[in-house]
Amino acid sequence: MPPRHPGDSATTIASIHDVARTASVSLATVSRVLNGTGPVRDETRKKVLEAVERLGYVPHGGARSLITRQTRTIGVILPDIYGEFFSELIRGADLAARDAGYHLLVSGAHSNEQDTREVLRALHGRVDALIVMAPVASDTVDRALPGGVPVVLLNHASRDTRHRTIRIDNRGGARAMTEHLLDLGHRRIALVLGPPDNEDAIERRRGYEEALSARRVAVDPALLLPGDFTDGAGERAGLLVADLDPRPTAVFATNDAMAIGCLAGLRGRGLRVPEDVALAGFDDIPFSRYVSPPLTTVQVAISELGSRAAARVVQALAGTAPTRRHELLPTTLVVRESCGAHRPIQPRVPPRAPRATAGRKRRRQ
Amino acid sequence: MPPRHPGDSATTIASIHDVARTASVSLATVSRVLNGTGPVRDETRKKVLEAVERLGYVPHGGARSLITRQTRTIGVILPDIYGEFFSELIRGADLAARDAGYHLLVSGAHSNEQDTREVLRALHGRVDALIVMAPVASDTVDRALPGGVPVVLLNHASRDTRHRTIRIDNRGGARAMTEHLLDLGHRRIALVLGPPDNEDAIERRRGYEEALSARRVAVDPALLLPGDFTDGAGERAGLLVADLDPRPTAVFATNDAMAIGCLAGLRGRGLRVPEDVALAGFDDIPFSRYVSPPLTTVQVAISELGSRAAARVVQALAGTAPTRRHELLPTTLVVRESCGAHRPIQPRVPPRAPRATAGRKRRRQ
DNA sequence: TTGTATGCGTTATCAT
DNA sequence: ATGATAACGCATACAA
């Protein structure tokens, strides 16, 4: 072997063969030392370790996974929505995955099924399990995936899939919020909708309708405002609400981004929140407590959704604890001030109770 | 081969061998058909494709990458900070990576070097290139990585590394903001610091100090408030500012999360923004325009940071366009209302200009 | 146009 | 305690 140039070292990668040759032992011995399998004499071990150090040897994960038949990687497929939500989801999943010694292979932004299917195929042999949030049919997953790969579907529409699913209790949360507004005396409650084909949006709307029906309040189609989960749509909805006649006394935006946009829209029309119009959101993103007035919303433990998903596939991989297939993640009503339930704090006057602005939480379900 | 049970299909995965046998051709032919390499008779191709379909065969990415020596995957290593920032970064990187036919393998939350090093090692053979944002020494990367892997360091401290780097112009942005506040007549400008060991935080502070020095304004240590990039720290800083004597006339928080928290803190002490204290942030997260008053801040094109990073490693992989090693991403001053530059909008009175609330942007550098 | 044989870097099986 | 060798699933140089 010719002597290496300084710059060469960057391009020459040592394999287990090189280590074996340098240490004058066999491949098997090197492997044993590195993986702690089988007995090795202390002296031999030292020789091997020295060679490893000298050569800067790092095992090739790809080759290893070919024979061990596991990649220690979990694939995550996400739809194309951005913002707080996904960073939290990935964060939660990464934490749980790392705890179990797994990596995360994320792939986002998939609009159509065809696209998603290709990504699924490309992932075969690169991941041990999958967390899928994209809006794909359950059997599409089966088709694209060559079996044996545990899958957990996040917020998936159909309940009758054989795959594991975890869903946020969107309906229950929306129901709780609507009931809360009804309790405050509101009867004309506008709802800012999400994307028509979005499962979360559909469920939240359903919860709203259920709550109204249960109280014998008619669902007025004129109060159903279009939206798409972006703040821009919320702002437009706010303007619409201001012009509605008779004007709704409350607005329930099906996510916080729209609620915050809506606040700007209402303000733009000179309306005060909550004095003129009560406002509520959904998600409890971190900044919802910093808008003024602080936003009443439904808390969703997003990072927990991610971590539970990861935990589920990991335990499926380990073959332990065959928990029930379908899981529902509860939500929490967070009452702040935008709905008018609390007396709004007066500027320049200390609040009556020290922590009066803090969200009071009520567990649901 | 025994007949498969319906349930079996999920556990039995077909390999290229099975396809070859089913189609009565050789392995090579199947490979040729699937990869479009070499000539194949139409009839043979049809046979193979049929077999593929019937067996539900999906190529094994891991095995393939072993021989082709490329995984078509880019590793992303992130530090442990959460929120808007990373979702944007990953989003940008994923978009650019997908465009070039690459996947993203993300791994977050690495506190110490030791931890990071192990992750780096584990990634060998699973990724073709790396985007590293963790606070890790440049030569640690070299050590843990077995060479040949293109790396781009994000917001890395030392400029003298041989690795590619992309840095946000934190210093320039902070300088611009400080100058802006000075232009508005402020002389006592408090600075809410970030984590002491965070490179972005350090650079932002430096920009602040440079701007003051350039104008012959002394840097008062009493105006340097501790922080850690969280909204909680910002809130505490807000309380501190209110109690300072003499009170600063402006507060520059080194990120938006702290600025927003600071707003709450100032409010808690009955101070108005911008009338009593001007306020400015850094990052221009989406919600900074929705707080009231809308936040004056420095815009950072985060998703572009991600996409450029991905683009850089992709082009390094392709061996094209050896762009210069170190890149600086410019920032933009976004003047809204929290700094008092605009006349605050009067509630219930239409603003004088129709778009008076919109942020006015000024390019920098 | 197609098939055979070799190797990618590793672990696992069986000897020794 | 250690070594030789066969897989793992695929691509490819070479032969036919």
Side-chain angles (χ1 to χ4, degrees):
Chain A
M1 198 199 290
R4 296 215 197 108
H5 288 79
D8 260 15
S9 66
T11 19
T12 312
I13 45 182
S15 87
I16 195 170
H17 288 93
D18 304 319
V19 177
R21 195 169 344 112
T22 306
S24 314
V25 295
S26 73
L27 294 184
T29 303
V30 178
S31 179
R32 276 189 281 258
V33 170
L34 262 34
N35 299 311
T37 67
V40 181
R41 247 179 36 207
D42 263 13
E43 196 185 348
T44 337
R45 178 192 318 281
K46 222 184 93 194
K47 268 198 309 185
V48 171
L49 258 23
E50 269 175 18
V52 165
E53 175 70 18
R54 196 145 66 80
L55 266 41
Y57 168 73
V58 177
H60 188 287
R64 174 186 231 142
S65 67
L66 189 57
I67 180 87
T68 60
R69 310 183 82 64
Q70 55 171 338
T71 62
R72 306 223 61 102
T73 302
I74 298 171
V76 183
I77 300 187
L78 299 173
D80 184 22
I81 313 181
Y82 58 107
E84 210 80 42
F85 192 87
F86 292 116
S87 91
E88 280 299 295
L89 187 81
I90 293 176
R91 176 189 180 70
D94 184 52
L95 243 55
R98 275 178 54 78
D99 272 355
Y102 283 84
H103 291 280
L104 240 45
L105 184 50
V106 306
S107 203
H110 304 286
S111 33
N112 57 68
E113 287 242 358
Q114 172 62 26
D115 201 20
T116 309
R117 193 156 42 214
E118 271 173 27
V119 172
L120 281 171
R121 291 175 54 94
L123 256 37
H124 170 49
R126 328 194 74 90
V127 300
D128 295 339
L130 275 173
I131 298 173
V132 179
M133 195 157 183
V136 289
S138 171
D139 52 341
T140 299
V141 177
D142 296 334
R143 210 78 52 75
L145 233 56
V149 181
V151 178
V152 52
L153 266 22
L154 262 33
N155 276 16
H156 193 261
S158 72
R159 276 142 208 71
D160 58 325
T161 171
R162 359 176 302 276
H163 294 291
R164 297 163 187 80
T165 69
I166 306 182
R167 305 187 315 119
I168 290 172
D169 188 14
N170 284 302
R171 203 193 309 191
R175 211 188 302 125
M177 179 60 82
T178 309
E179 281 166 6
H180 174 68
L181 292 173
L182 287 168
D183 287 344
L184 292 175
H186 296 284
R187 286 302 173 267
R188 290 185 54 77
I189 306 173
L191 186 77
V192 187
L193 303 168
D197 55 345
N198 181 286
E199 184 61 18
D200 300 287
I202 292 168
E203 283 290 292
R204 289 172 190 185
R205 171 183 178 164
R206 204 163 285 163
Y208 161 87
E209 292 172 341
E210 282 179 7
L212 289 186
S213 300
R215 295 284 189 95
R216 307 268 179 265
V217 176
V219 176
D220 183 351
L223 296 183
L224 266 27
L225 276 24
D228 58 7
F229 280 173
T230 69
D231 47 64
E235 192 158 0
R236 287 190 293 278
L239 298 175
L240 276 177
V241 165
D243 294 341
L244 236 43
D245 182 31
R247 206 172 56 213
T249 62
V251 180
F252 177 15
T254 50
N255 80 344
D256 283 353
M258 293 199 299
I260 290 169
C262 189
L263 184 62
L266 293 171
R267 286 258 172 73
R269 282 285 194 270
L271 292 176
R272 295 167 306 171
V273 172
E275 293 86 346
D276 298 326
V277 183
L279 181 65
F282 205 114
D283 279 349
D284 193 30
I285 61 177
F287 291 104
S288 59
R289 53 170 291 234
Y290 287 117
V291 295
S292 73
L295 192 64
T296 288
T297 185
V298 178
Q299 187 180 77
V300 176
I302 304 174
S303 77
E304 194 184 327
L305 179 63
S307 60
R308 284 211 58 77
R312 283 284 290 281
V313 294
V314 165
Q315 83 183 186
L317 249 18
T320 62
T323 49
R324 70 182 180 296
R325 284 189 123 43
H326 305 298
E327 206 171 327
L328 198 64
L329 222 57
T331 58
T332 308
L333 186 65
V334 180
V335 177
R336 297 205 182 94
E337 293 168 23
S338 68
C339 64
H342 291 293
R343 196 169 301 272
I345 39 168
Q346 308 298 325
R348 326 191 121 263
V349 173
R352 304 202 300 197
R355 298 290 301 158
T357 61
R360 192 197 301 161
K361 298 178 182 181
R362 194 180 76 184
R363 278 211 73 80
R364 203 189 135 65
Q365 292 207 339
Chain B
M1 198 198 293
R4 296 216 196 105
H5 289 78
D8 260 13
S9 67
T11 19
T12 312
I13 45 182
S15 88
I16 195 170
H17 288 93
D18 304 318
V19 177
R21 196 169 342 111
T22 306
S24 313
V25 295
S26 74
L27 294 184
T29 303
V30 177
S31 178
R32 276 190 279 259
V33 169
L34 262 35
N35 299 312
T37 66
V40 181
R41 247 178 35 205
D42 264 12
E43 197 186 347
T44 331
R45 179 192 318 280
K46 223 184 91 193
K47 267 199 308 186
V48 171
L49 257 25
E50 270 174 19
V52 166
E53 175 70 17
R54 195 145 67 79
L55 265 42
Y57 168 71
V58 177
H60 188 287
R64 174 186 227 139
S65 68
L66 189 57
I67 179 89
T68 60
R69 310 182 83 61
Q70 56 171 336
T71 62
R72 305 223 61 102
T73 301
I74 298 171
V76 183
I77 299 187
L78 300 173
D80 185 23
I81 313 181
Y82 58 108
E84 211 78 44
F85 192 88
F86 291 117
S87 91
E88 279 300 294
L89 187 80
I90 293 176
R91 176 189 181 68
D94 183 53
L95 242 54
R98 276 177 54 78
D99 270 357
Y102 284 83
H103 291 280
L104 240 47
L105 183 50
V106 305
S107 203
H110 305 286
S111 33
N112 57 67
E113 288 242 357
Q114 173 61 27
D115 201 20
T116 309
R117 194 156 42 216
E118 271 174 27
V119 173
L120 281 171
R121 292 175 54 93
L123 255 38
H124 170 49
R126 326 195 76 89
V127 300
D128 294 339
L130 275 174
I131 298 174
V132 179
M133 194 155 185
V136 44
S138 170
D139 53 340
T140 300
V141 176
D142 297 334
R143 211 77 51 76
L145 232 56
V149 181
V151 178
V152 52
L153 266 24
L154 262 32
N155 277 16
H156 193 262
S158 71
R159 275 144 208 71
D160 58 325
T161 170
R162 359 176 303 275
H163 293 292
R164 296 164 187 80
T165 69
I166 305 183
R167 305 187 315 117
I168 290 172
D169 187 15
N170 285 302
R171 204 194 307 191
R175 212 188 303 124
M177 179 61 82
T178 308
E179 281 167 6
H180 174 69
L181 293 173
L182 287 168
D183 287 344
L184 292 175
H186 295 284
R187 285 301 174 270
R188 290 185 56 75
I189 305 173
L191 186 76
V192 187
L193 303 168
D197 57 344
N198 181 287
E199 183 59 19
D200 299 289
I202 292 169
E203 282 289 292
R204 289 173 190 184
R205 171 181 178 164
R206 204 163 286 162
Y208 161 87
E209 292 173 341
E210 282 179 8
L212 288 186
S213 301
R215 296 283 189 97
R216 306 269 180 267
V217 177
V219 176
D220 182 351
L223 296 184
L224 266 26
L225 278 22
D228 59 6
F229 280 173
T230 68
D231 47 63
E235 191 157 2
R236 287 190 292 278
L239 298 176
L240 277 177
V241 165
D243 294 342
L244 236 42
D245 183 31
R247 204 170 59 212
T249 62
V251 180
F252 177 15
T254 51
N255 80 346
D256 283 352
M258 293 198 299
I260 291 169
C262 188
L263 185 62
L266 293 170
R267 285 259 173 71
R269 282 286 193 271
L271 292 175
R272 294 167 307 170
V273 172
E275 292 86 346
D276 298 325
V277 182
L279 181 65
F282 204 114
D283 279 350
D284 193 31
I285 61 176
F287 291 105
S288 58
R289 52 172 293 233
Y290 288 117
V291 295
S292 74
L295 191 64
T296 288
T297 185
V298 178
Q299 188 180 75
V300 176
I302 304 173
S303 77
E304 195 184 326
L305 179 63
S307 60
R308 284 211 58 76
R312 282 286 288 282
V313 294
V314 166
Q315 81 183 186
L317 250 18
T320 63
T323 48
R324 69 183 181 295
R325 285 189 122 44
H326 306 297
E327 207 170 327
L328 197 65
L329 223 57
T331 58
T332 308
L333 185 66
V334 180
V335 178
R336 297 205 183 94
E337 293 169 22
S338 68
C339 64
H342 292 291
R343 195 169 302 273
I345 38 170
Q346 308 297 326
R348 324 189 124 264
V349 173
R352 303 201 302 193
R355 297 292 299 159
T357 61
R360 193 198 299 161
K361 297 179 182 180
R362 195 181 76 181
R363 279 211 73 80
R364 205 191 133 63
Q365 293 205 342

